[in-house]
Amino acid sequence: ARLQKLVLKLYDFSRSHPAPRQWLEKLVDKYRVDSVQKMEEIPWAASLLDELRSELRDARSLLEEGYALTQVPGGPYPYAETLTNDLAELNRLIEADATWLSLYNAFQSYRVSRLKPCKGDDIDACLKDEVKSFRERAIKRINKVRDDFFSREPADFVQDLVEFAPIIETLVEIVGEFSDRFDRAKFEKGVLEFSDLEHLCLQVLTEPSSAETRIPSEAAKDFQHQFVEVLVDEYQDINFVQEAIIQLITGGNITFMVGDVKPISYRFRLAEPTLFLQKYK
């Protein structure tokens, strides 16, 4: 049952990409690191490290907001010393050399201080709770980064990838076989899923010989001449297939998008929020 769920989940994720089979093959490539000796040598490690350091900077912002509240009238000023120590510890992590090993070593000596007692009639209880909340949220983020990525030596992660590679390759083969059989079953019954409609639409809008580069077909060009502008609401919920469709019918020049990436608590229909963030930047 767990394997079935995993196959279905991977199948669904592949269908949120314009070329599902190519996406699955690239997934296998991420695990083919036999000649790699260090995490830094893995092609995608640098981008992951950037994301983790960004998460630490977000935690620093929370601590800074908490510290600022200790300085206002009625603020829990006894907490200021602890938050100062928290920020010093966190800055040491952030300022470590931008390598996986450096951050791993920095985390090994990372410590969290206990909050000092904070009593007094001059202290606002609400401000006290708010500072605690900022600090707890920051520490939770820091601990998650540490526990998920820096609780083990970098070499152990590399070894995991080497050992997982043949397993992932077999899993991808199973997903491919499932996809073929599922397509045949739907064809025999004359039914389509929502993702089938998306991919068929993409097929109509793309020149057959340009699946990789996605050259607009005559149908797509007709749409490009038809629309003066295309407005996209809730753009944070879009996926790669839908983005490709929009680009093909607009040429990318007459598109206006609105949305907000912050409220995302789950990926609606396998949305890819990084598309929104890339446009935002």
Side-chain angles (χ1 to χ4, degrees):
R2 292 176 65 184
L3 178 59
Q4 289 174 336
K5 289 180 180 179
L6 183 58
V7 169
L8 287 172
K9 186 175 182 179
L10 194 53
Y11 169 79
D12 285 340
F13 267 103
S14 72
R15 298 290 290 173
S16 70
H17 290 75
R21 291 302 177 92
Q22 287 88 336
W23 181 82
L24 286 168
E25 185 56 35
K26 288 179 180 178
L27 182 65
V28 176
D29 290 340
K30 294 179 185 296
Y31 288 82
R32 291 173 175 150
V33 295
D34 299 47
S35 61
V36 169
Q37 301 298 322
K38 302 176 182 177
M39 279 293 290
E40 286 75 12
E41 297 174 3
I42 297 172
W44 46 264
S47 58
L48 175 57
L49 189 61
D50 285 343
E51 289 186 26
L52 297 178
R53 291 167 70 87
S54 176
E55 187 73 10
L56 294 178
R57 287 191 289 270
D58 288 344
R60 179 169 62 186
S61 296
L62 291 171
L63 288 176
E64 288 171 343
E65 289 188 63
Y67 178 82
L69 290 178
T70 68
Q71 304 300 297
V72 302
Y77 56 87
Y79 287 166
E81 182 180 344
T82 303
L83 286 165
T84 299
N85 293 335
D86 290 338
L87 283 165
E89 277 287 286
L90 182 53
N91 281 328
R92 185 173 59 81
L93 297 177
I94 294 172
E95 292 166 7
D97 291 342
T99 67
W100 201 279
L101 182 60
S102 295
L103 194 50
Y104 168 78
N105 288 333
F107 260 115
Q108 302 319 297
S109 57
Y110 170 72
R111 298 292 182 269
V112 176
S113 305
R114 295 187 63 177
L115 275 174
K116 288 182 172 293
C118 186
K119 298 178 181 179
D121 295 336
D122 59 335
I123 294 174
D124 186 312
C126 291
L127 288 176
K128 180 179 175 181
D129 289 341
E130 199 169 349
V131 171
K132 281 185 176 180
S133 175
F134 275 122
R135 184 172 189 261
E136 287 168 2
R137 286 157 56 196
I139 291 173
K140 185 176 180 180
R141 286 194 174 201
I142 298 165
N143 287 345
K144 181 168 176 55
V145 171
R146 179 195 62 195
D147 296 343
D148 288 353
F149 297 97
F150 298 99
S151 60
R152 304 169 63 213
E153 293 189 12
D156 292 340
F157 280 108
V158 175
Q159 186 58 34
D160 284 347
L161 292 173
V162 172
E163 294 176 2
F164 271 120
I167 299 172
I168 298 300
E169 191 167 355
T170 301
L171 178 61
V172 165
E173 289 175 1
I174 294 172
V175 173
E177 179 66 19
F178 168 78
S179 179
D180 291 340
R181 295 190 187 189
F182 194 27
D183 284 345
R184 287 198 297 270
K186 286 185 286 187
F187 179 79
E188 290 169 1
K189 293 180 179 293
V191 296
L192 293 171
E193 291 187 290
F194 183 84
S195 67
D196 293 323
L197 296 176
E198 290 180 322
H199 280 273
L200 288 171
C201 178
L202 192 60
Q203 186 176 325
V204 169
L205 297 173
T206 307
E207 281 293 323
S209 61
S210 66
E212 290 278 336
T213 55
R214 289 197 292 275
I215 297 173
S217 65
E218 289 303 314
K221 291 176 183 176
D222 285 343
F223 279 119
Q224 290 180 13
H225 293 133
Q226 177 180 336
F227 295 131
V228 176
E229 59 187 31
V230 172
L231 313 179
V232 185
D233 194 14
E234 303 294 353
Y235 187 72
Q236 76 278 355
D237 290 332
I238 207 160
N239 65 31
F240 287 111
V241 178
Q242 295 157 358
E243 170 71 3
I245 290 170
I246 291 172
Q247 292 297 318
L248 286 166
I249 65 174
T250 66
N253 299 318
I254 56 170
T255 312
F256 300 86
M257 298 144 288
V258 295
D260 186 357
V261 78
K262 293 178 184 177
I264 288 180
S265 58
Y266 65 96
R267 289 193 171 186
F268 173 75
R269 201 172 288 151
L270 298 174
E272 183 47 65
T274 57
L275 288 167
F276 178 97
L277 294 172
Q278 287 167 2
K279 292 290 193 312
Y280 177 80
K281 290 176 182 178

